[in-house]
Amino acid sequence: MKSKFVEWLEAVADTMFSELWQAKALIAVFGILGVVAFIGAFWNPAHFGTTGICAIMVLCGISEYKKVKRQ
């Protein structure tokens, strides 16, 4: 017999390791990082490179999200 805490941990693990959740997390993390890098680029133009890389990663996340939603 499993405790409620162990069942809750299993539910959290199932959610976090699902492809849909990972695609959403990829979009959110790199989206926030991209916005922060874009704001920082006003003081240091080298941050525009980081902003571009984050934009590419967000596009990859959107692609993964669409692929998972179609299944």
Side-chain angles (χ1 to χ4, degrees):
M1 175 113 166
K2 295 181 183 177
S3 68
K4 290 189 181 244
F5 180 69
V6 172
E7 290 177 359
W8 179 79
L9 284 176
E10 288 177 349
V12 168
D14 287 341
T15 301
M16 287 181 60
F17 291 112
S18 71
E19 290 183 21
L20 184 64
W21 192 86
Q22 288 181 4
K24 289 178 183 178
L26 184 77
I27 295 167
V29 168
F30 282 101
I32 291 169
L33 183 61
V35 168
V36 170
F38 182 73
I39 293 169
F42 289 110
W43 289 275
N44 184 359
H47 287 258
F48 278 122
T50 305
T51 304
I53 292 169
C54 290
I56 292 169
M57 290 302 295
V58 168
L59 291 175
C60 290
I62 291 170
S63 171
E64 288 292 320
Y65 181 78
K66 287 181 179 179
K67 185 173 72 173
V68 171
K69 279 300 223 182
R70 274 186 264 156
Q71 293 177 353

